[in-house]
C-alpha cells in the first residue's frame, strides 16, 4: 500500500499504463540519452522559430500597450505551464511511471479514455500543421532567393515545395529525436542570427530618410468590433508563437532521472526566446506601425519599390530562416515517427536492421510527401496560423498543464497556486474561443483570395 497526497492506493494503481511498456517507438525514436542542454536545444527549435516574425503584425492588432502586455503575459504563462508539466512528469517518474508521450501522460493523470484521443487529435493537428507550414515557408524562402538571383527564371512555388520535401525526407532518416541535438544547436544559432539581421534591417528602415520611407502610424484602424476581433486574433498568434505541443516527448530524450533537468532547458530556451521576441516585435512595429505585414520580411522586401534594408542583409535573414525551417520540420515530425515505428518496427531487431530500416524509410517518406502535397494545395497556410494557435496550442499549452498539475498535486483551494491556475484556465479558455471565432472570421473574409495549388503564398 502506498500513500500520496494524503490518499492511499494499491500497487495496481501505480503500474504504468499498457502504452508505457518498451516498444520500438520508445526504444528507437525517443531514446533517453540526452542532457539538459540537449533538451534546451530541442525546446528552442520547437518554440523559437520564424513565427516570431509575425509579432509586429500581432502588435498591429493590439497597439503598444496591449501588445507588450500580451507578449509578456504569454511568455510568463507558457514558461509557468511548461514548468508545471515538467513537475508532473517528474512526479510520475518518482512513482515509477516515467511517461515519454503527451497522450499517455494525459490518460494516466486525468484517468479518462476520451482525453487520450483529444490529446492525440490536437497533437497530430499541430505536428502535421507545423510540418506543412515549414515545407511551404521554406519553399517560399527558396523562391524569394531564386527570384532575386534569376528574375526571369521559370521555377514556381510547387517546384520549390518538391525540393524542400526532398531535403526533409533525407534528414528525416536520422533515426531518433536525440540524433537531432546538434542540428537543433544550429537551429538555436540560426534563430539568433536572423533575429539580429531583422532588427538591424528594421532600425535601418525606421531611421531612413530616403523614399520609400515607411509611414509610421500606431493607431488601431477599423470599427470598434473589428478592433476587438483583431486583438483576439493577435492573441491567438501569440499562442502559436509560444506554442510547444511536444514537451513530454522532449523530456523523454533526457537520460533518467530527468528531475530538474527540464527547468534548466526551459531557462536556456526562454533566454533565447525573450531576446528574439522583444527585439523583433518592438523594432518591427516601431519601423512599420500598422502597415506591418504578417511576416516582417515582407514589409522589408515590398513587392513594389526598393527594399528598406541592404539586399545582402535581408538575403542572409531569408537563408537563416530557410535553414531553421528544416530543423523545425524534423522536430515536429518526431511524434508521427514515434507512432509509426511503435506499430511497424520490431524492438527485438536492431535500429538499423533491414526489418526496421525499410519500413522507416518508406513510412517517413510517405508522411513528408503527404505534408508537401497539402502545402502545395493550400498555399495560404499563413492565414490559418492564428486558428492553429487558438484550437491547438492554447488548449494544449495554456490549459491542459494546469489540469494535469491539479490532478497530480491537488493544491489547496486556499493556496495562491490554486487560484492562479484556475484564473489562467478561465482566461485562456475565453481567449481560445474568441481567438478561434476571430480566426475563422478572418479566413472567411479572405476566402475569395484562396486558390488551390496557387503559385503564391497568401497571407
Amino acid at each position: 500500500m502506498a500513500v500520496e497526497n494524503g490518499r492511499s492506493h494499491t500497487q495496481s494503481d501505480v503500474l504504468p499504463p499498457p502504452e508505457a511498456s518498451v516498444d520500438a517507438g520508445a526504444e528507437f525514436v525517443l531514446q533517453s540519452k540526452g542532457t539538459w542542454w540537449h533538451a534546451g536545444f530541442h525546446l528552442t527549435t520547437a518554440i523559437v522559430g520564424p513565427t516570431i516574425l509575425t509579432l509586429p503584425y500581432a502588435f498591429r492588432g493590439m497597439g503598444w500597450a496591449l501588445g507588450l502586455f500580451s507578449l509578456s503575459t504569454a511568455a510568463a504563462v507558457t514558461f509557468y505551464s511548461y514548468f508545471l508539466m515538467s513537475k508532473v512528469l517528474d512526479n510520475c517518474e518518482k512513482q515509477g511511471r516515467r511517461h515519454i508521450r503527451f497522450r499517455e501522460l494525459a490518460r494516466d493523470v486525468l484517468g479518462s479514455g476520451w482525453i487520450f484521443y483529444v490529446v492525440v487529435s490536437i497533437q497530430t493537428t499541430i505536428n502535421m500543421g507545423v510540418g506543412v507550414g515549414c515545407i511551404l515557408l521554406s519553399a517560399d524562402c527558396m523562391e524569394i532567393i531564386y527570384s532575386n538571383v534569376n528574375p526571369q527564371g521559370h521555377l514556381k512555388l510547387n517546384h520549390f515545395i518538391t525540393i524542400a520535401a526532398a531535403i526533409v525526407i533525407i534528414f528525416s532518416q536520422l533515426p531518433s529525436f536525440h540524433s537531432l541535438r546538434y542540428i537543433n544547436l544550429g537551429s538555436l544559432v540560426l534563430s539568433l542570427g536572423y533575429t539580429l539581421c531583422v532588427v538591424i534591417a528594421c532600425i535601418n528602415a525606421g531611421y531612413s530618410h530616403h523614399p520609400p520611407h515607411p509611414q509610421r502610424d500606431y493607431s488601431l484602424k477599423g470599427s470598434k468590433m473589428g478592433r476587438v476581433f483583431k486583438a483576439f486574433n493577435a492573441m491567438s498568434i501569440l499562442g502559436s508563437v509560444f506554442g510547444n505541443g511536444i514537451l513530454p516527448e522532449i523530456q523523454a530524450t533526457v537520460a533518467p532521472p530527468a528531475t530538474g533537468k527540464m527547468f534548466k532547458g526551459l531557462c536556456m530556451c526562454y533566454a533565447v526566446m525573450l531576446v528574439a521576441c522583444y527585439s523583433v516585435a518592438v523594432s518591427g512595429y516601431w519601423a512599420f506601425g500598422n502597415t506591418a505585414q504578417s511576416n516582417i520580411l515582407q514589409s522589408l522586401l515590398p513587392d513594389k519599390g526598393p527594399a528598406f534594408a541592404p539586399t545582402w542583409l535581408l538575403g542572409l535573414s531569408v537563408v537563416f530562416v530557410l535553414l531553421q525551417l528544416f530543423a523545425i520540420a524534423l522536430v515536429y515530425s518526431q511524434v508521427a515517427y514515434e507512432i509509426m515505428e511503435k506499430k511497424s518496427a520490431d524492438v527485438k531487431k536492431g535500429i538499423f536492421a533491414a526489418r526496421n530500416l525499410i519500413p522507416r524509410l518508406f513510412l517517413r517518406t510517405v508522411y513528408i510527401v503527404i505534408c508537401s502535397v497539402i502545402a502545395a494545395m493550400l498555399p495560404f497556410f499563413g492565414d490559418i496560423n492564428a486558428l492553429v494557435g487558438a484550437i491547438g496550442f492554447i488548449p494544449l499549452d495554456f490549459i491542459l498543464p494546469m489540469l494535469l498539475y491539479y490532478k497530480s498535486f491537488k493544491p489547496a483551494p486556499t493556496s495562491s497556486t490554486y487560484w492562479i491556475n484556475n484564473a489562467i484556465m478561465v482566461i485562456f479558455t475565453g481567449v481560445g474561443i474568441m481567438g478561434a471565432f476571430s480566426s475563422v472570421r478572418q479566413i472567411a473574409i479572405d476566402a475569395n483570395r484562396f486558390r488551390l495549388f496557387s503559385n503564391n503564398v497568401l497571407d
Side-chain angles (χ1 to χ4, degrees):
M1 184 82 70
V3 178
E4 179 199 356
N5 296 325
R7 178 176 64 89
S8 64
H9 49 250
T10 63
Q11 184 65 26
S12 61
D13 291 326
V14 299
L15 290 175
E19 193 178 0
S21 59
V22 176
D23 54 61
E27 187 70 17
F28 296 160
V29 181
L30 301 178
Q31 291 179 340
S32 302
K33 295 182 177 180
T35 61
W36 69 264
W37 59 85
H38 293 151
F41 301 159
H42 300 323
L43 284 166
T44 305
T45 300
I47 300 176
V48 189
T51 50
I52 65 172
L53 302 180
T54 65
L55 287 174
Y57 177 76
F59 271 47
R60 170 181 166 177
M62 295 185 288
W64 279 115
L66 182 58
L68 288 170
F69 174 78
S70 298
L71 179 62
S72 302
T73 300
V77 171
T78 51
F79 182 89
Y80 176 66
S81 67
Y82 298 149
F83 173 65
L84 291 188
M85 193 185 304
S86 180
K87 287 191 68 175
V88 172
L89 287 163
D90 289 346
N91 183 60
C92 290
E93 183 177 347
K94 290 176 183 177
Q95 298 175 35
R97 309 191 316 273
R98 188 177 194 224
H99 295 302
I100 61 173
R101 302 173 174 101
F102 206 143
R103 58 188 185 275
E104 71 182 33
L105 171 68
R107 180 173 64 182
D108 181 31
V109 174
L110 299 179
S112 299
W114 62 268
I115 198 68
F116 174 87
Y117 297 102
V118 170
V119 171
V120 168
S121 300
I122 294 176
Q123 210 180 22
T124 301
T125 300
I126 289 173
N127 293 346
M128 180 164 275
V130 171
V132 170
C134 286
I135 291 172
L136 177 60
L137 294 178
S138 59
D140 191 37
C141 288
M142 285 189 277
E143 187 177 34
I144 290 172
I145 297 170
Y146 176 75
S147 62
N148 279 273
V149 173
N150 184 13
Q152 305 303 320
H154 299 292
L155 296 182
K156 302 297 183 182
L157 179 64
N158 289 341
H159 298 110
F160 293 108
I161 288 175
T162 303
I163 296 170
I167 293 171
V168 176
I169 286 171
I170 292 170
F171 284 98
S172 69
Q173 302 311 315
L174 291 169
S176 69
F177 203 154
H178 180 65
S179 62
L180 301 178
R181 60 195 182 281
Y182 297 119
I183 290 177
N184 290 337
L185 170 60
S187 170
L188 186 156
V189 175
L190 289 168
S191 66
L192 292 174
Y194 64 70
T195 294
L196 179 62
C197 292
V198 167
V199 170
I200 292 173
C202 288
I203 293 173
N204 181 78
Y207 280 113
S208 173
H209 296 292
H210 301 286
H213 179 68
Q215 299 298 313
R216 292 195 293 273
D217 180 1
Y218 305 116
S219 63
L220 301 178
K221 294 185 176 181
S223 65
K224 184 176 181 180
M225 184 60 67
R227 292 198 300 269
V228 170
F229 283 128
K230 288 179 181 178
F232 278 107
N233 194 57
M235 291 176 192
S236 297
I237 292 174
L238 292 181
S240 65
V241 168
F242 286 92
N244 167 27
I246 55 174
L247 187 137
E249 285 81 5
I250 292 175
Q251 184 155 332
T253 67
V254 177
T259 303
K261 295 176 183 177
M262 281 298 286
F263 178 74
K264 296 179 181 178
L266 279 169
C267 289
M268 174 196 288
C269 171
Y270 270 75
V272 176
M273 186 69 175
L274 293 179
V275 169
C277 283
Y278 280 96
S279 58
V280 170
V282 171
S283 64
Y285 188 57
W286 169 78
F288 293 95
N290 58 23
T291 63
Q293 299 299 307
S294 60
N295 183 330
I296 197 61
L297 288 175
Q298 294 171 327
S299 297
L300 292 164
L301 278 166
D303 292 333
K304 298 180 180 179
F308 287 113
T311 302
W312 68 265
L313 183 65
L314 297 176
L316 192 60
S317 304
V318 173
V319 171
F320 287 165
V321 169
L322 168 64
L323 295 176
Q324 199 204 21
L325 284 167
F326 293 134
I328 296 172
L330 293 172
V331 163
Y332 276 92
S333 298
Q334 296 305 305
V335 174
Y337 298 161
E338 174 268 314
I339 292 173
M340 290 188 292
E341 295 205 18
K342 182 177 185 292
K343 301 295 185 182
S344 66
D346 185 352
V347 74
K348 298 178 182 178
K349 305 289 185 180
I351 190 171
F352 294 110
R355 164 64 181 80
N356 296 323
L357 185 61
I358 294 173
R360 180 186 306 131
L361 176 64
F362 174 75
L363 291 172
R364 294 187 181 193
T365 299
V366 169
Y367 177 80
I368 299 302
V369 168
I370 292 172
C371 288
S372 63
V373 170
I374 295 173
M377 286 179 59
L378 311 174
F380 42 86
F381 188 81
D383 215 30
I384 61 175
N385 187 33
L387 182 61
V388 173
I391 66 174
F393 285 118
I394 286 180
L396 214 58
D397 295 329
F398 291 78
I399 299 170
L400 191 58
M402 311 303 161
L403 290 173
L404 294 171
Y405 184 84
Y406 176 80
K407 292 289 289 185
S408 296
F409 294 95
K410 295 186 173 17
T414 55
S415 67
S416 59
T417 301
Y418 179 88
W419 288 104
I420 290 172
N421 290 2
N422 276 280
I424 290 172
M425 285 192 290
V426 171
I427 291 171
F428 282 94
T429 296
V431 169
I433 293 171
M434 287 300 299
F437 182 78
S438 302
S439 303
V440 171
R441 174 181 175 271
Q442 189 62 45
I443 290 172
I445 291 173
D446 294 339
N448 63 330
R449 300 191 301 127
F450 297 159
R451 298 290 184 274
L452 291 178
F453 295 103
S454 170
N455 276 318
N456 296 300
V457 176
L458 303 180
D459 301 315

